[in-house]
Amino acid sequence: MTSTFRGLATIRYHAEDLAAAKAWYSELLGVEPYFDTPDYIRLGDHSQELGVSRTPSAPAGVVAYWHVDDVGAVWERLLSLGARAHEAPRDHGHGFVAGAAVDPFGNLIGVMYNPHFAEMAAAPRGGAPGVTPAPAGG
């Protein structure tokens, strides 16, 4: 049996002012939306996609953490673009460093350096060094 959960497809944030959110996220991520309607935009690619919907929201619930190579630099960039601290970055041990900010539209944005993610991303196709891939259908 295969898992029905294959990975995150999209992180969706909310903003009543979608035009302002489009400009803010385009500046933050350095890309323009590839999907752009009056009520919803999508930025990024299949591995790190962000959707923004024109709906009101408030920070609550789950924090989605984006892997970044330099938490401190990204944290400072978030704050310089008008986000405010929710949980300042801190070392969680074993190389994990993470923090969460609230964007100008009220959404939580987590940023994290995750050594496991970095190792997996750098590994040759088929998995991390020393890790045997699970059999198909597993």
Side-chain angles (χ1 to χ4, degrees), residues 4-29:
T4 56
F5 292 91
R6 300 179 64 96
L8 294 175
T10 300
I11 301 296
R12 186 178 81 179
Y13 293 137
H14 306 272
E16 292 181 57
D17 185 344
L18 191 59
K22 176 181 171 181
W24 195 84
Y25 280 106
S26 294
E27 173 69 20
L28 176 66
L29 301 175

Side-chain angles (χ1 to χ4, degrees), residues 7-105:
L8 294 175
T10 300
I11 301 296
R12 186 178 81 179
Y13 293 137
H14 306 272
E16 292 181 57
D17 185 344
L18 191 59
K22 176 181 171 181
W24 195 84
Y25 280 106
S26 294
E27 173 69 20
L28 176 66
L29 301 175
V31 296
E32 293 294 319
Y34 73 86
F35 181 89
D36 191 345
T37 71
D39 295 313
Y40 191 73
I41 62 170
R42 287 179 180 264
L43 305 96
D45 61 32
H46 73 283
S47 65
Q48 293 185 22
E49 182 179 88
L50 172 64
V52 183
S53 175
R54 186 195 330 244
T55 54
S57 185
V62 173
V63 178
Y65 288 90
W66 296 84
H67 176 80
V68 299
D69 292 329
D70 184 339
V71 171
V74 174
W75 183 257
E76 291 304 317
R77 180 152 169 74
L78 283 164
L79 298 180
S80 76
L81 290 172
R84 69 183 194 289
H86 179 70
E87 296 175 340
R90 68 181 180 94
D91 188 330
H92 292 270
H94 303 284
F96 289 86
V97 178
V102 180
D103 73 12
F105 314 98

